[in-house]
């Protein structure tokens, strides 16, 4: 379906470094605004440049596609484009691929159009790409669930009885979803640091990151209609990196019996570029074996994993970054198709722009744990940064950066960065 836009031999007339996340094989979608002034536009990325799709649309670049005449690229969010469905997304990506490949002079040789459409990335302010209606966070990494369960209930009871039968999740908060680069304020909240004393209110002392990925719903489903697992991916527009910032001390006190609440809803950071499933298709792989076999309505999602290398870096205020974690999206036990099918199975209508996130993605090794809670094992084994400083949780001024990419032959299909600085509490 992605046509030859995924050909690994393709090269663009735009220079792209081999470690860039945005070669011609990617062509993600986002929303940006020229820093010099102007309106928000739908954009794509190639190398160190941003491509203004509204300008290209005005030049009739998409006349052969379903977006022609829709004005969806003049919108300040991707929602209208996402609602059009896979055929429109795929045709747009193929049209961009053709314009950018090294044997096509249409845009390259049209100096006036090229200078308006192709802007240096540092001249564009990227925005939150989607108006997110609802946000759901799953708990789909077996290693993460096992680590956290071991810490709080012991190794014998690490996984709850339901965990291997359904993708556990909770409804999050969409109002505090922010784009990479926006700072995060250390939350205030109620905690009970001493079980023999009453609870107290004040700044959280255990702010953490969670290494996650999320996907956006394109066309939704009608209320009451389930989505078969085999059709679930047709509802997925694309993926982003997600940092589900968490306050562990607030979480520990508040979470029973209804789950996460204020510990999670103060901020969730996403990366600005949405990478389509078309671009990720060459990196599809089998997920972990599922034993026991899921019930019929969740069966058949086994080839729905993607080989996406993931890293987390932490830079203390004014200092150099240290890599804390190397994980991979393929470790997720429950696939996106299974998460989506389960979500809709009771009749819940998913809507264009909804964000469904994976939960913390931890792997089998100590250095693939996707949260500070696990890496420092509840603070009992603090991490040592390259600067010599120690961390059991995130400190004021720390910048946490998630990154991720698929490694091709001589190129990377990547997500850029998902980054945020922790500011002191008010
Ligand atoms: Mn989470």
């Amino acid at each position: 379906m992605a046509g030859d836009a995924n050909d690994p031999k393709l090269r663009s007339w735009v220079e792209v470094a081999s470690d860039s996340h945005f070669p011609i094989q990617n062509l993600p979608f986002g929303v940006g605004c020229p820093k010099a002034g102007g309106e928000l536009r739908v954009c794509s990325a190639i190398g160190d440049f941003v491509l203004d799709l509204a300008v290209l649309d005005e030049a009739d670049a998409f006349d052969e596609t379903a977006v022609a005449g829709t004005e969806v690229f003049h919108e300040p969010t991707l929602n209208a484009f996402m609602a059009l469905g896979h055929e429109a997304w795929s045709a747009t990506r193929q049209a961009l691929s053709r314009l950018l490949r090294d044997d096509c002079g249409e845009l390259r040789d049209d100096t006036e159009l090229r200078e308006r459409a192709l802007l240096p990335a540092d001249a564009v302010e990227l925005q939150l790409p989607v108006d997110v209606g609802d946000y759901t966070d799953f708990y789909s990494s077996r290693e993460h669930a096992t680590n956290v369960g071991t810490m709080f209930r012991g190794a014998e009871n690490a996984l709850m009885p339901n965990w291997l039968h359904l993708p556990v999740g909770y409804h999050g908060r969409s109002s505090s979803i922010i784009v990479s680069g926006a700072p995060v304020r250390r939350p205030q909240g109620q905690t009970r640091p001493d079980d023999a004393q009453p609870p107290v209110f004040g700044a959280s002392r255990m702010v953490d990151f969670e290494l996650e990925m999320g996907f956006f719903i394109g066309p939704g489903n009608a209320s009451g209609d389930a989505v078969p697992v085999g059709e679930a991916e047709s509802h997925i527009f694309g993926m982003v990196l997600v940092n589900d910032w968490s306050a562990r001390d607030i979480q520990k006190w508040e979470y029973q019996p209804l789950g996460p609440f204020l510990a999670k809803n103060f901020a969730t950071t996403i990366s600005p570029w949405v990478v389509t499933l078309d671009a990720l298709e060459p990196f599809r792989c089998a997920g972990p074996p599922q034993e026991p076999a899921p019930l019929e309505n969740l069966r058949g999602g086994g080839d729905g994993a993607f080989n996406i290398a993931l890293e987390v870096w932490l830079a203390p205020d004014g200092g150099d970054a240290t890599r804390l974690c190397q994980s991979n999206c393929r470790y997720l036990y429950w696939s996106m198709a299974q998460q989506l099918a389960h979500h809709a199975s009771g009749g819940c209508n998913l809507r264009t722009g909804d964000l469904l996130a994976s939960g913390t993605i931890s792997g089998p090794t100590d250095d693939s744990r996707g949260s500070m809670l696990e890496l420092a094992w509840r603070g009992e084994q603090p991490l040592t940064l390259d600067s010599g400083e120690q961390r059991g949780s995130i400190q004021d001024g720390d910048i946490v950066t998630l990154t991720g990419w698929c490694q091709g032959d001589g190129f990377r299909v990547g997500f850029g960065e998902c980054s945020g600085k922790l500011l002191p509490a008010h």
Side-chain angles (χ1 to χ4, degrees):
M1 295 282 263
D4 55 2
N6 284 346
D7 184 345
K9 293 191 195 65
L10 280 185
R11 292 296 179 266
S12 174
W13 48 265
V14 179
E15 195 182 327
V16 180
S18 62
D19 62 351
S20 168
H21 283 196
F22 307 112
I24 193 168
Q25 288 84 1
N26 190 345
L27 305 177
F29 296 102
V31 169
C33 186
K35 287 179 181 168
E39 291 175 355
L40 290 173
R41 297 308 197 46
V42 172
C43 302
S44 187
I46 178 83
D48 293 328
F49 290 85
V50 168
L51 203 52
D52 184 330
L53 303 196
V55 167
L56 291 179
D57 187 32
E58 285 162 14
D60 301 330
F62 308 111
D63 269 8
E64 306 297 312
T65 77
V67 306
T70 62
E71 305 282 304
V72 291
F73 296 144
H74 292 73
E75 297 278 332
T77 69
L78 291 172
N79 294 55
F81 177 51
M82 290 161 67
L84 293 179
H86 178 260
E87 197 179 319
W89 316 330
S90 194
T92 299
R93 182 165 167 270
Q94 288 182 61
L96 291 174
S97 174
R98 192 185 67 82
L99 280 176
L100 290 166
R101 68 185 57 172
D102 55 10
D103 60 358
C104 177
E106 270 175 57
L107 179 60
R108 179 192 63 204
D109 301 336
D110 185 338
T111 309
E112 190 273 331
L113 178 62
R114 194 190 67 224
E115 286 181 350
R116 284 194 299 126
L118 194 65
L119 306 170
D122 57 12
V124 177
E125 186 84 44
L126 295 173
Q127 308 282 331
L128 192 67
V130 174
D131 182 13
V132 184
D134 280 300
Y135 162 46
T136 298
D137 197 19
F138 286 93
Y139 194 55
S140 291
S141 155
R142 182 175 189 162
E143 288 81 0
H144 173 68
T146 302
N147 287 337
V148 173
T150 300
M151 270 183 253
F152 291 101
R153 291 184 298 275
E156 301 300 305
N157 304 301
L159 284 187
M160 299 295 274
N162 57 5
W163 202 92
L164 291 170
H165 297 278
L166 56 81
V168 170
Y170 70 97
H171 286 124
R173 183 81 190 167
S174 59
S175 65
S176 50
I177 294 174
I178 52 179
V179 74
S180 179
V184 172
R185 179 73 60 184
R186 179 182 294 274
Q188 308 266 1
Q190 188 180 117
T191 63
R192 192 176 192 181
D194 184 343
D195 287 342
Q197 298 294 324
V200 296
F201 186 88
S204 168
R205 287 164 300 148
M206 290 185 69
V207 175
D208 200 355
F209 63 84
E210 290 192 340
L211 168 61
E212 305 196 14
M213 297 202 72
F215 62 90
F216 283 108
I217 300 296
N221 59 299
S223 176
D225 287 356
V227 177
V229 69
E231 293 172 22
E233 285 190 0
S234 68
H235 292 265
I236 300 177
F237 174 69
M239 296 179 73
V240 289
L241 299 163
V242 178
N243 182 355
D244 179 25
W245 297 87
S246 300
R248 300 299 181 195
D249 45 357
I250 297 172
Q251 185 178 356
K252 184 176 177 228
W253 174 232
E254 76 170 4
Y255 87 102
Q256 288 175 318
L258 287 184
F261 189 38
L262 306 188
K264 300 281 191 172
N265 70 8
F266 57 99
T268 304
T269 306
I270 67 169
S271 51
W273 293 112
V274 187
V275 179
T276 63
L277 289 199
D278 275 356
L280 296 171
E281 186 58 38
F283 308 98
R284 183 185 291 276
C285 60
Q290 296 186 320
E291 178 60 43
L295 295 181
E296 183 66 29
N297 72 313
L298 295 178
R299 215 171 290 164
D303 202 23
F306 292 89
N307 185 0
I308 305 169
L310 298 169
E311 295 184 348
V312 181
W313 294 72
L314 186 146
D317 207 355
D320 293 332
T322 300
R323 187 173 60 203
L324 301 185
C325 164
Q326 286 179 281
S327 189
N328 195 300
C329 191
R330 70 185 302 171
Y331 296 146
L332 287 173
Y333 187 87
W334 295 105
S335 69
M336 292 186 287
Q338 288 173 321
Q339 291 166 15
L340 194 157
H342 178 62
H343 206 316
S345 63
C348 174
N349 49 321
L350 303 170
R351 297 180 297 187
T352 300
D354 286 356
L355 175 65
L356 277 60
S358 60
T360 305
I361 306 172
S362 294
T365 59
D366 288 356
D367 69 346
S368 59
R369 295 169 177 172
S371 67
M372 189 84 90
L373 176 70
E374 296 161 85
L375 287 163
W377 207 258
R378 234 177 353 185
E380 292 160 18
Q381 301 159 23
L383 300 175
T384 303
L385 306 182
D386 293 346
S387 63
E389 293 175 64
Q390 292 205 317
R391 286 290 184 280
S393 67
I394 303 169
Q395 299 303 299
D396 292 345
D398 285 353
I399 296 174
V400 177
T401 302
L402 279 47
T403 187
W405 68 91
C406 306
Q407 186 64 56
D409 185 8
F411 63 92
R412 285 178 170 180
V413 170
F415 290 80
E417 292 187 344
C418 174
S419 189
K421 181 174 190 168
L422 185 67
L423 303 181
H426 275 310

